[in-house]
Amino acid sequence: MTHPREILLKAQAATGFLPVCDHYSGVEARMRKSLQLQAEMTEEFGTCVFDVTLDCEDGAPVGGEADHAAMVVELAKLASDKARVAVRVHAVDHPAFEPDMAMIAGQLRHRLSHIMIPKVDCIDDVRKAERALQTASASNLPLHVLIESPLAVRNAFEIAAHPKVQSLSFGLMDFVSSHGGAIPADGMSSQGQFTHPLVVRAKLEIASACHAHGKVPSHCVVTEFNDAAALIQAARRASREFGCTRMWSIHPNQIRAILSAFAPDEAEIDAAINIIAAGARSDWAPVSFDGKLHDRASYRYFWQVLERAHLTGRSLPLEVQSYFQDAPSRAPDHPPGNA
């Protein structure tokens, strides 16, 4: 039987399927705890529900970049085969960028899910990162990029179109800082980042660029990591209003809240189960369900609801779970090309 992905996701660009949470750690003890928590939650949910990104940019002490990168390599090698581990290297114009890529991509090309490149301003930065992957014999690794400046926002569509790019993330704090005081500090807060016009515009441009090219738009951090209500509200707005399908975590307490906020609700999951089943029974011809006509355009939407439910560890009936066993490759292993 033909898998729904092969029927429904070829007709037009579809956002790649990645875990909805990307958890960042830059200190060795926290990196170890993050990898252990990932293993525990993978066992709990039956799938890897968040990525762990080991940070060599802000996490590395000035002057100690090489030692920090070596430590990250050794930690990543200890991760299980089921782990999804990434590394954020230095920006392409930083002296540590090429040593980072040579060591990390060179030694971990078969271990990492992707490499995050910060402070990408233009397509030439992506090309430089691509060449570094080739030099390290790591062309298999997708690139995730951080959009952190007004120029990067201007170039977001061109950056998202590059076939090596799998996801764009918004770097809130650097973006605000790059405006030289024209955006107040409140623009970095959990409230202000959803109200200041320049910040809102940047988020929407990034999300639109990603969806235009079948890439994953990833929402920025909430720095008030002890404020659970602020995190939940921000995650819900990112998912439901700003078109993001992924979000950063900077504290373990944020992970489950992000999973919950990005998961479909039970009513939507139930509707998706029934509509996809009806579509499969009709060989994906149009059907009438609950008084509404459905065809491949709406099947595509409801299939992606089931993908998101699976990625957030939601309970699914056995007949739906079977879709995610030995299924065709998805974006975590094979990044989509241009739309």
Side-chain angles (χ1 to χ4, degrees):
M1 183 176 67
T2 306
H3 196 279
R5 287 190 195 124
E6 296 180 343
I7 295 292
L8 303 177
L9 298 187
K10 288 184 176 180
Q12 66 185 53
T15 299
F17 298 106
L18 294 172
V20 301
C21 181
D22 189 8
H23 180 65
Y24 274 71
S25 297
V27 177
E28 181 177 2
R30 292 173 188 164
M31 292 180 187
R32 292 182 182 275
K33 290 180 180 178
S34 297
L35 291 170
Q36 178 61 36
L37 180 61
Q38 184 190 61
E40 292 170 358
M41 291 181 68
T42 297
E43 184 70 21
E44 176 185 349
F45 288 104
T47 189
C48 187
V49 292
F50 68 94
D51 285 350
V52 171
T53 298
L54 309 177
D55 189 14
C56 284
E57 188 197 21
D58 293 340
V62 175
E65 292 88 355
D67 290 341
H68 189 86
M71 178 266 291
V72 162
V73 166
E74 293 309 308
L75 282 182
K77 287 180 178 178
L78 297 174
S80 75
D81 292 339
K82 295 181 179 180
R84 281 187 51 86
V85 183
V87 176
R88 176 166 69 167
V89 297
H90 286 83
V92 297
D93 59 355
H94 191 283
F97 170 72
E98 290 186 1
D100 274 358
M101 293 292 277
M103 177 182 293
I104 293 164
Q107 295 191 42
L108 300 175
R109 56 183 171 272
H110 300 303
R111 304 284 297 181
L112 297 181
S113 58
H114 61 271
I115 286 184
M116 168 62 78
I117 310 294
K119 297 177 175 60
V120 170
D121 279 334
C122 62
I123 193 64
D124 285 343
D125 293 341
V126 178
R127 291 172 179 149
K128 185 172 182 179
E130 182 182 27
R131 289 194 296 271
L133 287 177
Q134 292 168 348
T135 300
S137 299
S139 295
N140 61 299
L141 288 177
L143 295 173
H144 291 200
V145 303
L146 259 170
I147 303 297
E148 304 182 73
S149 70
L151 179 60
V153 171
R154 162 67 178 78
N155 293 325
F157 278 80
E158 188 177 14
I159 292 168
H162 193 284
K164 288 300 295 179
V165 172
Q166 191 179 49
S167 175
L168 268 58
S169 293
F170 179 47
L172 171 66
M173 290 178 284
D174 275 295
F175 180 81
V176 171
S177 299
S178 70
H179 284 75
I183 300 176
D186 182 63
M188 294 184 281
S189 70
S190 59
Q191 294 291 327
Q193 65 170 286
F194 289 100
T195 56
H196 193 282
L198 285 174
V199 179
V200 168
R201 173 180 172 270
K203 291 183 181 184
L204 294 176
E205 285 290 303
I206 292 167
S208 295
C210 286
H211 289 294
H213 294 287
K215 309 303 172 70
V216 175
S218 186
H219 195 264
C220 58
V221 299
V222 170
T223 56
E224 301 96 325
F225 56 81
N226 285 322
D227 189 338
L231 185 280
I232 292 170
Q233 183 181 37
R236 287 186 178 278
R237 296 198 69 181
S239 174
R240 289 161 172 74
E241 298 175 32
F242 283 77
C244 295
T245 56
R246 182 169 162 98
M247 183 171 175
W248 283 34
S249 160
I250 55 171
H251 191 281
N253 290 344
Q254 295 182 326
I255 294 171
R256 288 182 185 270
I258 291 171
L259 292 178
S260 177
F262 277 76
D265 61 35
E266 292 301 321
E268 192 171 24
I269 293 172
D270 288 343
I273 290 169
N274 290 322
I275 290 168
I276 290 300
R281 286 194 299 268
S282 71
D283 292 328
W284 309 108
V287 299
S288 174
F289 183 84
D290 198 21
K292 297 178 182 178
L293 178 68
H294 289 280
D295 60 14
R296 269 173 256 184
S298 55
Y299 294 153
R300 184 178 302 117
Y301 171 82
F302 287 104
W303 169 252
Q304 291 175 111
V305 169
L306 296 183
E307 289 273 11
R308 197 164 72 252
H310 171 67
L311 288 170
T312 50
R314 291 308 180 256
S315 178
L316 295 171
L318 289 176
E319 62 269 24
V320 175
Q321 290 179 22
S322 65
Y323 284 134
F324 302 102
Q325 298 168 1
D326 301 321
S329 296
R330 295 181 294 162
D333 301 308
H334 300 283
N338 292 340

